[in-house]
Amino acid sequence: MNKTDFPLSVRDGENAMHSSTRKSLSIQDYYRGKTVLITGCTGFIGSILLTIILAKLPDVRRVYCLYRTQPGIKDPRAQWIKGDICNRQWGLEAGAYARICAEVEVIFHLAAHTGWDIGLNEQVASNTLPVLYGAALASDCRKLESFVVTSSYWAAFHLAHAGEIGETIFQDYRAEAELAEILQRQSFARLAEWPNPYSYSKNLAERLLHQRYPHLPVILARVTSAGATWAFPHRGLCQFKNALPAFLRAIVKGRAHYFPIEMKTAINDAIPADICANILLTNAADRAGEPFSVIHCGSANRNLPTLGAIAEMAGPIRYMDSAEDINQLLSGLPNQRIASFNKLLLETYGAGLDRRVVFLDHHARRPLERMSLHELEQFPIDVGCVDWHQLVAAMVGTLRGGKRSEDYPLPGTLGNSHVSLAEPV
């Protein structure tokens, strides 16, 4: 099969729904009898997505859950299959691969290495190549209707100066040469144009996926800073291991107090994890069978407080006029361990501490045009309903000694997410 094509049955509409028919179906109707494949089920957003499907879509036929070390939620419809996304065919045994190719209609690829603690080659092996292996698998799925691939808003931070980032692929058809340069010559290629190897590896995956598989029914979802859940399974559930929760944890625990003055007015886009999962779920249904599209799982800065206001809710903050002032102050702190952590936090999140970048989300909000009031209650995707002060207060309360969000676990395990001090806001 040509690597730029997906199966004729999907391309010609033999098994994919006709567009007008699909648009008339409810979310429940669309997923009735469907077979789904999810990677990253033991991660935070992935586990919430799986739980939403099992709890709110009772007529889903089967959910194949790819895992590497330990399976999670137990449910008759959840079938856990051992694999490894870093290998071709995602490391699946031949029999499992054949079943998936024969049965699966919707794929959600959420597994990734979210830490910033490894170099470019390792990031490419963990975040770029697995997307291409997944696209090859998706091309072999005879009933495929949607292939949802999560990326990161950091993939577009080479354009942060633009102020607004659209839901599109910033394609220049140079990615194949860059990948060859990285893999064959151990080169950094164009790394200097992105904040770090993580963000470059994500961008590289986006451009390669679009270049190699332009006709595959891909929904590329750039997720902004994933925060705690807003409503499901309850408010404030999070792991505090990455993104905005990790940022808050550093302040609450007294590991970071000193920040650039620009952070006081900066806005770093964020999205509650359950609303993010709903956006993925509803767009997979709404865009089934359509060619390559891009959505942003974020807030488009609609109702977000400034990053400074969020930080001030977590603990005492001192703003400094320049990086030199911060470095001078940190070098004089008696506790150099805290000073080193504060410095690491600034280096890691630096690109997001002084900007008001808007990640437009018109495409992601398209399902709102046809969702009923009942569906909007079941699968909320409008971030306008979120009171961020309440949500941040819930996270801060947990960190300050209230009942921990881990005391309200999802059914089964929340999994084996990678933990790193240097993970993205």
Side-chain angles (χ1 to χ4, degrees):
M1 181 181 294
N2 189 307
K3 65 185 178 182
T4 62
D5 291 333
F6 60 91
L8 289 173
S9 60
V10 175
R11 187 178 65 230
D12 291 344
E14 293 173 10
N15 291 306
M17 292 182 175
H18 188 273
S19 177
S20 61
T21 303
R22 184 180 68 249
K23 296 297 184 290
S24 68
L25 291 178
S26 68
I27 303 298
Q28 293 285 354
D29 287 338
Y30 176 76
Y31 282 100
R32 181 171 290 115
K34 285 288 190 292
T35 298
V36 177
L37 168 64
I38 306 177
T39 72
C41 295
T42 56
F44 184 40
I45 298 177
S47 63
I48 291 172
L49 174 65
L50 176 58
T51 304
I52 289 173
I53 291 173
L54 297 176
K56 299 187 178 186
L57 295 171
D59 295 324
V60 163
R61 175 177 174 268
R62 178 175 294 134
V63 184
Y64 286 110
C65 306
L66 189 71
Y67 77 99
R68 186 166 56 91
T69 56
Q70 182 180 348
I73 298 170
K74 293 181 179 179
D75 185 281
R77 291 167 296 159
Q79 184 168 338
W80 292 85
I81 299 182
K82 193 171 180 62
D84 187 342
I85 62 164
C86 293
N87 295 324
R88 294 183 185 277
Q89 298 187 342
W90 280 347
L92 294 164
E93 295 181 352
Y97 188 86
R99 289 198 306 277
I100 284 171
C101 291
E103 299 175 20
V104 166
E105 292 142 297
V106 181
I107 300 174
F108 295 97
H109 175 44
L110 282 78
H113 181 92
T114 58
W116 291 4
D117 55 341
I118 57 177
L120 179 58
N121 275 75
E122 292 85 357
Q123 290 284 5
V124 168
S126 300
N127 290 324
T128 305
L129 297 181
V131 169
L132 302 179
Y133 299 154
L137 180 153
S139 296
D140 287 341
C141 290
R142 296 188 286 278
K143 298 181 179 179
L144 184 71
E145 295 180 10
S146 291
F147 177 35
V148 182
V149 179
T150 55
S151 184
S152 169
Y153 70 151
W154 285 94
F157 257 73
H158 64 307
L159 301 172
H161 61 278
E164 288 188 349
I165 307 296
E167 292 167 291
T168 186
I169 290 291
F170 303 100
Q171 184 61 271
D172 55 12
Y173 297 98
R174 297 164 61 184
E176 292 286 4
E178 293 167 40
L179 181 64
E181 191 176 340
I182 293 167
L183 296 180
Q184 297 171 16
R185 296 169 48 191
Q186 306 295 301
S187 164
F188 291 135
R190 294 169 59 193
L191 172 59
E193 299 176 35
W194 279 264
N196 49 59
Y198 169 83
S199 56
Y200 180 36
S201 73
K202 287 291 191 178
N203 181 277
L204 199 59
E206 291 186 5
R207 287 181 289 138
L208 286 165
L209 180 62
H210 179 260
Q211 184 170 347
R212 292 188 184 185
Y213 300 91
H215 305 298
L216 198 68
V218 170
I219 302 168
L220 182 80
R222 292 193 189 111
V223 179
T224 64
S225 181
T229 55
W230 171 243
F232 183 85
H234 65 84
R235 185 163 301 165
L237 175 68
C238 58
Q239 293 181 314
F240 299 106
K241 293 178 179 178
N242 55 24
L244 180 62
F247 180 75
L248 291 172
R249 181 184 62 183
I251 298 172
V252 170
K253 299 302 182 182
R255 298 169 187 164
H257 296 295
Y258 307 101
F259 295 93
I261 189 66
E262 292 83 4
M263 192 182 84
K264 195 168 186 176
T265 56
I267 292 181
N268 191 297
D269 202 304
I271 182 79
D274 55 334
I275 292 183
C276 177
N278 288 331
I279 290 174
L280 300 178
L281 199 64
T282 56
N283 273 273
D286 189 66
R287 298 175 180 276
E290 295 183 2
F292 204 108
S293 59
V294 181
I295 63 173
H296 286 160
C297 298
S299 298
N301 294 11
R302 279 187 188 83
N303 55 345
L304 276 168
T306 65
L307 194 56
I310 291 174
E312 289 163 17
M313 290 180 67
I317 297 297
R318 182 173 173 184
Y319 296 110
M320 311 294 289
D321 290 329
S322 68
E324 291 77 12
D325 290 343
I326 296 178
N327 288 332
Q328 183 176 355
L329 187 149
L330 292 176
S331 63
L333 288 181
N335 189 330
Q336 278 302 297
R337 184 181 178 190
I338 289 180
S340 296
F341 192 96
N342 197 141
K343 192 176 296 184
L344 175 63
L345 197 71
L346 293 173
E347 291 172 355
T348 302
Y349 300 150
L353 295 179
D354 62 354
R355 290 181 171 88
R356 282 176 168 263
V357 183
V358 179
F359 287 83
L360 302 175
D361 64 351
H362 307 301
H363 295 175
R365 292 169 64 83
R366 194 179 82 172
L368 288 172
E369 298 172 7
R370 65 170 186 79
M371 292 175 71
S372 67
L373 290 176
H374 177 64
E375 286 181 313
L376 290 171
E377 291 175 357
Q378 271 198 310
F379 308 101
I381 67 171
D382 186 355
V383 292
C385 70
V386 177
D387 184 325
W388 283 96
H389 289 90
Q390 285 187 25
L391 190 56
V392 172
M395 289 187 280
V396 170
T398 295
L399 289 165
R400 286 179 176 163
K403 198 167 187 180
R404 293 187 57 81
S405 55
E406 285 82 354
D407 294 335
Y408 303 92
L410 296 171
T413 178
L414 280 176
N416 313 297
S417 297
H418 175 83
V419 182
S420 170
L421 295 181
E423 292 183 277
V425 175

